[in-house]
Amino acid sequence: MESRELLANKESLASCDIAIFVHDKSNESSWKASSKLLVEIARHGEHTGFKVPCLIVAAKDDQYSFPMAVQESTRDSKDETNVKDVEYQAVSKPKQGGYRATHFIFAMMLLDNIGFVANMASLVLYFLFVMHFDSPGASTTTTNFMGTTFLLTVVGGFISDTYMNRLNTCILFGIIQLLGYALLVIQSHDEKLQPELCGKKSCLHGTKALLFYASIYLLALGGGGIRGCVPALGADQFDDMNPKEYLQLASFFNWFLFSITIGASLGVTFVVYVSTIFDWYKGFLISLSCSASALICIVAGKRFYRKRIPGESPLLSILQVLVVTVKNWSVKVPDNSEELYEIETHKSTLKNKLIPHTSQFRVLDKAATLPKDTEAIKWRVCTVTQVEEVKILTRMMPILLSTILMNTCLAQLQTFSVQQGTFMNTFIGTFNIPAASIPVIPFVFMILLIPVYEFAFVPLARKITGHPNGITELQRVGVGLVLSAISMIIAGLVEVKRKHYFNDHNNKKISLFWLSFHYAIFGIADMFTLVGLLEFFYKEAPQGMRSLSTSFSFLSLSIGYYLSTVFVELINTVTSRITKSNKGWLEGTDLNQNHVELFYWFLAILSMLNFVIYIFCAKWYKYRNDISFDREMLLKHLATTSNHGNVSTSSVTRFQDMPFKEERSETSH
């Protein structure tokens, strides 16, 4: 039927449930023609009272839709139930998703972290004894490498949200990581490619330096990119509109960490032992083999995954809001939020749901205010949903910043604590344990405690608090921050004891397992904080930014490692001026003459102050309240399921007080 006939025939229009316009993505005239027709239908519906929901989609295999891909015939209706999520239907099948799909992801992370965590634990020794850095140089090179690795998770998250699906992004960065391992194997195997001992801060020059930095930063790019997209790929396998899968999502992050921990345990024992006792190139070769096997595992599960189609650039959307806010600085924001600009139902890609307006950060509402006599086009006005996405990320930033110092403490466990182990008794009977293998102790604790947390703590806490996950994500992070401060206090006490025996008792070495106390406490802290952050950033993020948002957990790690480098240099600079010996606390290669214990206590004091700040940030933060599934369905599921523990009637009653399905009220802070 011609468009004019359709517009003239009210009965035909009235019988339409939905009007779908298909255009050729590669043909601009097709897009313009479809857009024009859509506007005609929409205007006719407003004039006649026949409100027909309208969709406009691109006729391409990748289903990539234009900005403003979906429009509704009227701005009066806010009911989204008549518009189906076309993108989700296009990429999801009944046999896809769920825990079956995540088994491949768990296997991938287990294998990949065998080499990745082994490097985190032992590279400081490789830099110290093979590349011939001095002690502070080896520590700062390690923390710079790890900081860069976790910083590059943002690149992986950005690419998987914008240009490639998460699986393909993971494969791309997996190949890059294999290349980095290959170069590392070559240099560690051939002594001609290694520097000679020179007694300086760094002995690397020329081609040897080029090969060295190329290998470790290809490794950083590959490892970081993988970690920027894999958590979101796994979480995508659970539909948060399904109450059963919504609860499974919280469990997924626990088992995700569990798989990482098992791989890490194998890495810091077997791989580190091979590297330090036999030969470094053999350890790197094992890491390369495990990384290749991990890549095979993730590819093997391809047909089981729910794949999210990439959409518009989240960073471009953020930039657009900021630019338009500045452009509209003199424009008055209307008192009625209903007057702010919005494209009803969906925006950008069909997967992105509308986000209700909030009155927090009102200055950003200028971006959604359409000036008079101005056409509603990009870079002139933004939708309320776009603005709210930026507000969500802004609210997250204090939480992100509050966790950085904990990761600075973590960096010490992979640098100075490992170096401490070289001055301790590493034998159990006749068996020599590499100092770099000491992190296996917190990993063992985590392997034991994660199932206890999942099967015992969560059901018990759920009965007490009435929260589906036992405690909130931010409460979980807070527990980790407290434990990290305690860990640093104990680390300082252990160092005092070690130095006392070594310096005052004829170089007597205490057992390596004295380090296990603060390692174990920090391992428990990491179990709470890392999973809490991953779940927090995934659930709270806008749907089109979930990879980028989950990478913020690792961004905190990155900044923490860089901050460690800054602290080491700053502490040495300041203390060298105030001590009688004119020597910094951490200066030189002999830890027995340094004051690492004072550095640990310095970090402990900062950690306690940071926790106080975190409490204010956590209280200030308001969780998103626009959860899309039916509360009654969740209550029914909790009352009948045994997969998440036995939930008593009193526990279910508590859930009835939780606002799972109600529109977010406008609050000002």
Side-chain angles (χ1 to χ4, degrees), residues 150-155 157-158 161 227-229 231 314-315 318 389-390 392-401 403-404 407 530 533-534 536-538 540-542 545-560:
F150 292 120
L151 178 64
L152 291 172
T153 58
V154 176
V155 176
F158 171 72
D161 277 337
R227 281 150 189 81
C229 57
L315 296 182
I318 294 170
E389 288 174 348
V390 176
I392 289 170
L393 295 180
T394 305
R395 284 195 292 268
M396 287 178 173
M397 287 303 103
I399 303 299
L400 171 69
L401 297 174
T403 59
I404 289 173
N407 293 308
L530 180 59
L533 283 178
L534 285 171
F536 170 76
F537 284 126
Y538 183 85
E540 294 296 299
M545 298 183 181
R546 282 181 164 172
S547 280
L548 182 65
S549 182
T550 51
S551 70
F552 288 166
S553 305
F554 298 105
L555 180 61
S556 173
L557 276 166
S558 171
I559 301 174

Side-chain angles (χ1 to χ4, degrees), residues 80-81 83-89 239-241 342-356 383-386 388-389 392 541-544 546 624 626-628 664:
E80 297 187 25
T81 57
V83 181
K84 297 183 179 180
D85 195 335
V86 177
E87 182 189 76
Y88 183 82
Q89 291 180 346
D239 181 8
D240 59 8
M241 296 184 69
E342 181 63 285
I343 301 174
E344 298 295 342
T345 304
H346 296 259
K347 67 168 276 293
S348 298
T349 63
L350 304 180
K351 186 66 175 175
N352 289 334
K353 303 290 191 298
L354 289 182
I355 303 177
T383 64
V384 170
T385 295
Q386 281 180 282
E388 290 302 317
E389 288 174 348
I392 289 170
Q543 291 188 3
R546 282 181 164 172
R624 289 182 62 182
D626 53 339
I627 298 175
S628 52
R664 186 189 319 195

Side-chain angles (χ1 to χ4, degrees), residues 4-37:
R4 292 180 180 176
E5 296 179 19
L6 179 63
L7 292 172
N9 191 334
K10 294 183 179 181
E11 294 181 0
S12 297
L13 190 61
S15 64
C16 291
D17 294 322
I18 187 170
I20 300 177
F21 304 90
V22 181
H23 70 90
D24 184 349
K25 174 185 170 183
S26 62
N27 189 329
E28 185 177 357
S29 62
S30 174
W31 159 248
K32 290 181 178 179
S34 299
S35 302
K36 183 178 180 181
L37 183 57

